[in-house]
């Protein structure tokens, strides 16, 4: 009897410790990473070629997510399999050849890392491609074609992206930034990764419900900043809803105003495991979004360029910032429209060195870069600048002045009291350090003119006063007069007196059940 008891005890311990050993040997989940990120204006004649994209792959891509470092909790808890994320400064429509090249290379890298338990889809959401609607939806569908419908996909986006029903279907988790300007970009991306990691490692799997609501509003970011009302209060709803039992994430997409595709419209999505909570939350956000549509306005006083310059000259505040909105390269403008520069150079107040100091950022001009190098600092240079891709509103401008700085990619030319930053190719100036590096002192300037819409944090925190100028370019703020042909109408503000929409809550099925199993 004693021997039998000992044998039973031994067997029980063997089973217990054996199960523990098996549990310890359970393989880590395999999670892939890939995507393409760009914002494209279809109202610009510019196109975005392959060499405009930064292609980050493998270890270099993984290193761009510090929370996935080998010593981090998420880094240790899964096998991360980075394919490629391609990104480019916003601009014109992407050529079909460029798109197919980037997608093809990414898909090959994805195939090489098979199999997957989950996938992180990192995109902007406002890419346009020649001859192809909804490229982000097309790309994720092709990813599903490789990895299958069982792995969970988490999609991270810019709030100025577009969410088609196809993208919503193939994504199990989906989120976007909650701030414009996008000061929470890194936080939002991490949230998308953390949600995915939690659902995979906890065994919860894909959320049971995804509620999608179309809100027929198409407004630019310059009129929907979350620094001011009503955007501030609208996005402030999200944390409370996200904290509700049965809700995983909630998101509001303002969408992208300068692309003419059927998918371009405001979207609200809520994902989670409680159907009623998910649905009612999505409806509540959508109703709030629609109800405040008429309250959205520009963040700063907005006037013609002439009126903005008049105000800046008369002001005693410095630096006085002016946003050259129509050709904002960070919104999709070509960045080389000379319409504003041509009028600035004609102003008599800036014709002599004794006028108010003005920094103009910036205009592409390869010929001027070469002329400046030849003349050297302190020398005189003259060349044509701008209107390389977008010459619809003004042709190239002859710039003549003293070389204040010259380098491989930039030159500073002083003409009268204006310091013009000339670049080798299109550029956006977001940081004070980028100007001080080329010898400029924006804090001491009287007037700073930048090709932007709402000011990025560096400039916003520096400005003593600020106005937004209605100027020409591929991201013209005069939406009502843009030649939209393909968006779904009616759409606010193009149809200001349209009837209230139904704001139907659509529960999007999972890609896993596309074929009924």
């Amino acid at each position: 009897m004693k021997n039998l008891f000992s044998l039973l005890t031994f067997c029980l311990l063997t089973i217990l410790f054996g199960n523990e050993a098996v549990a310890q040997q359970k393989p880590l989940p395999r999670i892939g990473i890939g995507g393409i990120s760009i914002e494209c204006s279809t109202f610009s004649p510019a196109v975005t070629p392959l060499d405009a994209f930064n292609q980050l792959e493998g270890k270099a891509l993984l290193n761009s997510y510090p929370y996935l470092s080998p010593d981090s909790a998420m880094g240790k808890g899964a096998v991360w399999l980075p394919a490629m994320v391609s990104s480019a400064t916003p601009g014109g429509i992407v050529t079909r050849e460029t798109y197919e090249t980037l997608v093809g290379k990414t898909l090959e890298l994805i195939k090489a890392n098979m199999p997957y338990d989950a996938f992180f889809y990192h995109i902007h959401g406002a890419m346009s491609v020649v001859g192809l609607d909804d490229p982000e939806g097309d790309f994720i569908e092709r990813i599903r074609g490789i990895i299958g419908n069982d792995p969970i996909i988490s999609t991270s986006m810019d709030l100025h992206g577009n969410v088609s029903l196809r993208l919503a279907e193939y994504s199990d988790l989906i989120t976007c930034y909650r701030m414009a300007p996008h000061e929470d970009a890194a936080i939002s991306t991490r949230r998308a990764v953390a949600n995915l990691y939690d659902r995979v490692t906890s065994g919860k799997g894909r959320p049971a419900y995804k509620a999608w609501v179309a809100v027929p509003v198409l407004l630019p970011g310059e009129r929907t900043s979350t620094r001011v009302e009503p955007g501030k209060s609208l996005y402030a709803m999200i944390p409370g809803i996200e904290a509700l039992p049965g809700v995983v994430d909630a998101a509001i997409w303002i969408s992208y105003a300068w692309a003419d595709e059927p998918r371009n419209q405001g979207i609200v999505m809520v994902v989670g495991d409680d159907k009623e909570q998910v649905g009612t939350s999505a409806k509540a956000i959508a109703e709030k979004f629609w109800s405040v549509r008429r309250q959205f306005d520009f963040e700063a006083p907005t006037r013609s360029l002439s009126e903005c310059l008049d105000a800046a000259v008369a002001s005693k505040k410095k630096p006085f910032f002016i946003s050259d909105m129509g050709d904002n390269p960070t919104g999709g403008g070509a960045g080389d429209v000379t319409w504003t520069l041509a009028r600035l150079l004609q102003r008599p107040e800036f014709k002599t060195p004794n006028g108010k100091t003005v920094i103009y950022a910036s205009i592409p001009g390869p010929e001027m870069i070469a002329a400046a190098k030849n003349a050297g600092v302190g020398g005189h240079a003259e060349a044509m600048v701008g209107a390389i891709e977008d010459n619809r509103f003004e042709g190239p401008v002859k710039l003549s002045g003293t070389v204040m700085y010259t380098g491989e990619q930039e030159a500073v030319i002083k003409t009268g009291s204006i310091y013009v930053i000339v670049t080798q190719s299109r550029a956006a100036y977001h940081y004070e350090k980028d100007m001080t590096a080329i010898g400029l002192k924006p804090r001491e300037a009287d007037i700073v003119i930048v090709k932007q819409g709402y000011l990025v944090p560096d400039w916003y925190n520096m400005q003593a006063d600020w106005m937004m100028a209605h100027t020409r370019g591929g991201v013209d703020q005069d939406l009502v007069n843009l030649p939209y042909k393909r968006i779904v109408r009616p759409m606010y503000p193009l149809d200001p007196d349209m009837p209230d929409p139904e704001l139907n809550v659509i529960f999007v099925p999972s890609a896993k059940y596309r074929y009924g199993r």
Side-chain angles (χ1 to χ4, degrees), residues 55-251:
Q55 301 172 44
L56 205 58
E57 58 182 276
K59 187 175 180 181
L61 173 57
L62 191 60
N63 289 342
S64 67
Y65 306 102
Y67 38 84
L68 297 182
S69 63
D71 59 346
S72 68
M74 287 196 290
K76 294 176 181 177
V79 177
W80 296 92
L81 303 163
M84 186 169 80
V85 173
S86 308
S87 60
T89 300
I93 193 167
V94 176
T95 66
R96 187 62 177 266
E97 181 182 9
T98 292
Y99 173 75
E100 294 297 343
T101 297
L102 294 174
V103 169
K105 184 175 180 180
T106 308
L107 294 179
E108 286 302 314
L109 292 168
I110 290 172
K111 287 178 185 176
N113 288 328
M114 288 282 285
Y116 297 92
D117 298 292
F119 196 89
F120 174 50
Y121 188 46
H122 195 172
I123 59 174
H124 178 288
M127 172 169 53
S128 288
V129 174
V130 176
L132 177 67
D133 275 351
D134 188 21
E136 286 87 356
D138 172 76
F139 191 11
I140 195 173
E141 185 171 16
R142 289 160 76 170
I143 290 172
R144 279 288 190 198
I146 292 171
I147 70 174
N149 288 333
D150 287 332
I152 302 172
I153 292 183
S154 178
T155 298
S156 174
M157 300 175 65
D158 189 301
L159 63 84
H160 296 129
N162 309 291
V163 184
S164 66
L165 275 170
R166 177 164 59 164
L167 178 59
E169 178 183 5
Y170 284 113
S171 302
D172 299 297
L173 295 154
I174 189 165
T175 193
C176 68
Y177 307 158
R178 297 170 182 176
M179 297 177 71
H182 309 317
E183 297 175 67
D184 68 329
I187 296 171
S188 293
T189 302
R190 187 188 188 284
R191 182 176 65 251
V193 175
N195 284 343
L196 177 64
Y197 177 82
D198 174 68
R199 299 297 294 200
V200 172
T201 58
S202 68
K204 297 174 186 174
R206 50 176 40 93
Y209 302 102
K210 297 179 289 187
W212 182 95
V213 186
V215 184
V217 171
L218 194 58
L219 287 168
E222 287 74 16
R223 289 178 61 181
T224 52
S225 169
T226 61
R227 287 194 289 224
V228 295
E229 297 296 349
K232 187 175 183 179
S233 294
L234 177 64
Y235 277 85
M237 295 177 67
I238 294 177
I241 287 174
E242 183 186 37
L244 293 171
V247 172
V248 176
D249 202 293

Side-chain angles (χ1 to χ4, degrees), residues 281-298:
S281 296
K283 182 77 169 182
I285 297 173
E287 288 176 343
K288 177 68 173 179
F289 189 175
W290 178 252
S291 72
V292 300
R293 69 193 183 284
R294 298 184 190 277
Q295 298 173 32
F296 286 110
D297 202 355
F298 293 101

